Amino acid sequence: MAVGADVCPTTGDPWPDAGPAVPDVRVVRVRADAAPDGADGSAERPFPTIAAALAGASGATRVLLADGEHEAPPRVEGAVTIRGRCAARAILGGPPSTAPVAIEGASSRVELVGVTVRDRGVRIAGATAALRGVVIARATGVSLRVSRSAAVELRDVFLDGTVLGAGVERGGLFVDGGATVDGERVAVRGTHRLGVLSAARVTLRDVTVRGTIRAAATESAQGAIAQSGGSLSLTQAHFEDTIGSAVLVTQAGTTATLSSCVLRRVTPASATSAGSGLTVSRGAVATLRGSLVEAAGGLGVYARDAGTRLELSLSTLRRNGLPATGALEVSSGNGAATVVAGVAITDTAGVALHATGAGASLRATSVRVERVGQDAMGRGARGLLAQEGATLTATDVRVTDVTGVAASAVSKGSRLSLDRVVIAGGGAPSTEPTFPEGVAVAALFGGAVEAARVRVARAHTTGVLAYGAGATVALEGSRVEGVAGRRDRAGHGALAVEGGALTLRGVTVREATGSALNAAGDGSRASVDGVVLEATRAGPTASGALQAQSGGVVEGARVAVRGNATGGVLAVGASRVTLAE
């Protein structure tokens, strides 16, 4: 960013370049140690202050600052350019003040070039302004406030730290009141509570927000917030070391687009909350593409509330959720709709893709999920999870190395749809004491799974599971192989238990340790057609490749049972197996 001492001119000329001569533009010079008597703004008789140089100006004025510290003017209006040689040498200072430098007036056209504004902020209201090569350091409250339909251009601007003041507004760049800001090469560091606020239109490219600071012990310190119908567009933005959320987009009518961005290291605001790389809520709309979200302390990306829309594409989410008590990677909740395409999700603690709450939907296409582990409380991980009435649809998705359950629909009204999904090494056993664990695909407690062209390889305790009354799994044109089981527990290729229901069409189950297909318990049912059960291995207890027990029912047609080291077809107790062909 071209605002430091390394970009200062090395020539002996004590004045900044005046630029080309422009008719009707008055050029004046200011040197802090100049004598006020006889000052006319020439190089020989410069004004001692900026205020003196602007006093009585009736037309466009270009103010050239000598190196050194100058008293900051309280107000700038009209057609004015204030130019220093560089921000490291030309300082607009004076005693620390809670009052910002005010740039105002609907007809004002103001430029600040190559200066540092120190110990105060800048407020631009209603004016057209440009800041180039400018540092605003140690402002009280807000570094740069843009409002009242102002139009501002930022180039090579550094907002360097804020000081807590009595007001409630604190942060780096605040834009509201119908204003517009267009910026490039902007850095925000060490501001309290917030880096960037967009309640109007903000477009920034090559922007860095780093190290936001809490104003109070339990407060958040977000990297950026878009709200109140504002529009935020970020390209090549880098957020690091924020608290609460790196980026929050909230309220109906608010939009945000993030392209080629990095959201890294987000700390939860408190012990009972989770950090988030990107949060979209309350009916807002956001797009994240070509970006990296890493080391968010809880949620990588989170969309919630009715009317909220999130599109996530061509991005990587990595190592999120690790410090949190309950972690999600991509979560769509309570009516929100999320679309995920071309995304890699790796090294997650908790849940990789999560849809929760009535009306919530999450659609994933061409997604890779790798290495999902337990959260900090030791609870089992989930790769794909739909629950509490939500819908999750996965197409061309690969899920590998999940500790717990690789893909599941949990609770009545929840739906998980799988098409061309590969689960490899899924459902590795966790330390979670509750059932289920070590499962590749599961419908639990009234959830429903519909799956086609799915391949399950190397599951641990169960390949496909329907557990509990109302839970259903419909699997078609799929393959389940290599279910390992445990030393104390048989494995199952496909299992309906406690009232769950399985429907298998054109499915092959190979190399399950224990049983390839089992319906166990009153009300549990398996309906099969065109199913092959082969190479079933013996487990720790006696079983059949196809088995019904404790009141379970298996019925269907065109079933092939072959090459098994266990019994072929087995009905135990008040159970029933009815097969044709």
Side-chain angles (χ1 to χ4, degrees):
M1 185 164 297
V3 295
D6 56 333
V7 299
C8 287
T10 57
T11 63
D13 189 346
W15 303 103
D17 182 8
V22 178
D24 301 323
V25 175
R26 173 173 168 254
V27 178
V28 295
R29 289 169 170 80
V30 174
R31 194 179 67 230
D33 61 355
D37 295 339
D40 59 10
S42 63
E44 295 77 18
R45 296 178 181 175
F47 290 108
T49 66
I50 298 170
L54 296 178
S58 58
T61 302
R62 188 176 299 160
V63 179
L64 307 182
L65 303 179
D67 293 351
E69 182 169 345
H70 304 268
E71 184 177 343
R75 181 182 174 91
V76 180
E77 58 184 345
V80 175
T81 297
I82 299 175
R83 181 188 295 268
R85 287 215 293 167
C86 67
R89 296 184 182 178
I91 313 297
L92 306 188
S97 175
T98 58
V101 176
I103 298 174
E104 298 178 331
S107 61
S108 293
R109 303 289 186 269
V110 176
E111 294 184 5
L112 298 182
V113 182
V115 299
T116 289
V117 181
R118 192 169 66 193
D119 296 323
R120 69 211 65 231
V122 175
R123 184 182 73 239
I124 304 172
T128 298
L131 278 63
R132 302 187 182 95
V134 171
V135 176
I136 302 175
R138 301 201 303 264
T140 298
V142 177
S143 298
L144 176 59
R145 176 70 181 267
V146 183
S147 63
R148 286 169 34 195
S149 301
V152 177
E153 175 190 314
L154 306 177
R155 297 291 183 271
D156 301 307
V157 171
F158 183 17
L159 308 182
D160 188 12
T162 56
V163 177
L164 290 176
V168 296
E169 288 188 335
R170 303 179 178 98
L173 171 63
F174 275 32
V175 185
D176 61 8
T180 61
V181 170
D182 185 281
E184 187 170 3
R185 298 182 300 277
V186 175
V188 183
R189 181 181 69 185
T191 55
H192 285 83
R193 187 174 286 175
L194 181 61
V196 176
L197 171 69
S198 174
R201 188 181 69 81
V202 176
T203 303
L204 300 174
R205 295 169 295 280
D206 190 6
V207 57
T208 299
V209 178
R210 180 176 286 116
T212 51
I213 302 171
R214 301 175 192 264
T218 59
E219 281 190 351
S220 297
Q222 324 278 7
I225 295 178
Q227 65 180 34
S228 303
S231 170
L232 176 64
S233 176
L234 301 173
T235 303
Q236 295 181 328
H238 192 124
F239 292 84
E240 197 166 278
D241 298 321
T242 57
I243 301 170
S245 294
V247 179
L248 170 63
V249 186
T250 186
Q251 297 175 346
T254 303
T255 62
T257 301
L258 285 71
S259 302
S260 303
C261 295
V262 175
L263 315 180
R264 178 180 285 133
R265 290 201 301 271
V266 183
T267 301
S270 68
T272 59
S273 65
S276 172
L278 170 65
T279 299
V280 189
S281 67
R282 299 175 63 187
V285 176
T287 301
L288 179 72
R289 56 177 173 250
S291 297
L292 169 67
V293 181
E294 183 176 35
L299 298 83
V301 177
Y302 184 33
R304 67 172 187 262
D305 306 323
T308 297
R309 298 290 181 268
L310 169 64
E311 294 188 8
L312 172 62
S313 62
L314 304 176
S315 298
T316 297
L317 288 79
R318 184 170 63 208
R319 296 195 306 112
N320 296 296
L322 297 180
T325 57
L328 310 172
E329 185 62 274
V330 178
S331 180
S332 185
N334 300 328
T338 300
V339 177
V340 182
V343 172
I345 302 173
T346 66
D347 301 298
T348 301
V351 184
L353 287 169
H354 187 216
T356 180
S361 67
L362 193 157
R363 181 179 297 275
T365 305
S366 301
V367 171
R368 176 169 53 90
V369 176
E370 295 180 352
R371 297 184 299 278
V372 184
Q374 300 173 14
D375 62 24
M377 295 183 67
R379 294 179 294 196
R382 304 292 182 260
L384 315 179
L385 173 60
Q387 69 180 119
E388 303 298 337
T391 299
L392 194 158
T393 302
T395 305
D396 291 320
V397 171
R398 184 177 181 88
V399 182
T400 60
D401 299 324
V402 177
T403 301
V405 182
S408 57
V410 180
S411 71
K412 184 177 180 180
S414 301
R415 300 181 64 83
L416 174 64
S417 176
L418 307 176
D419 187 15
R420 300 191 300 274
V421 171
V422 175
I423 298 175
S430 72
T431 59
E432 182 180 11
T434 57
F435 184 85
E437 60 174 324
V439 180
V441 178
L444 309 172
F445 312 113
V449 176
E450 297 179 357
R453 294 176 288 182
V454 170
R455 183 185 175 195
V456 175
R458 303 190 311 280
H460 284 259
T461 63
T462 307
V464 179
L465 171 68
Y467 181 89
T472 62
V473 176
L475 187 63
E476 182 175 354
S478 299
R479 189 175 185 89
V480 178
E481 57 185 325
V483 181
R486 296 169 54 167
R487 278 182 290 180
D488 61 341
R489 183 185 302 174
H492 305 281
L495 172 64
V497 65
E498 300 294 337
L502 288 172
T503 301
L504 306 183
R505 300 285 184 269
V507 173
T508 296
V509 181
R510 295 190 75 253
E511 298 180 351
T513 301
S515 67
L517 172 62
N518 191 355
D522 290 335
S524 300
R525 304 181 67 86
S527 175
V528 296
D529 187 9
V531 170
V532 176
L533 310 176
E534 60 184 0
T536 306
R537 298 183 291 250
T541 58
S543 60
L546 187 155
Q547 179 171 307
Q549 66 185 85
S550 305
V553 174
V554 178
E555 55 189 2
R558 298 186 300 149
V559 177
V561 181
R562 61 196 182 207
N564 300 293
T566 63
V569 178
L570 180 65
V572 180
S575 302
R576 179 166 55 87
V577 176
T578 303
L579 299 175
E581 299 182 49

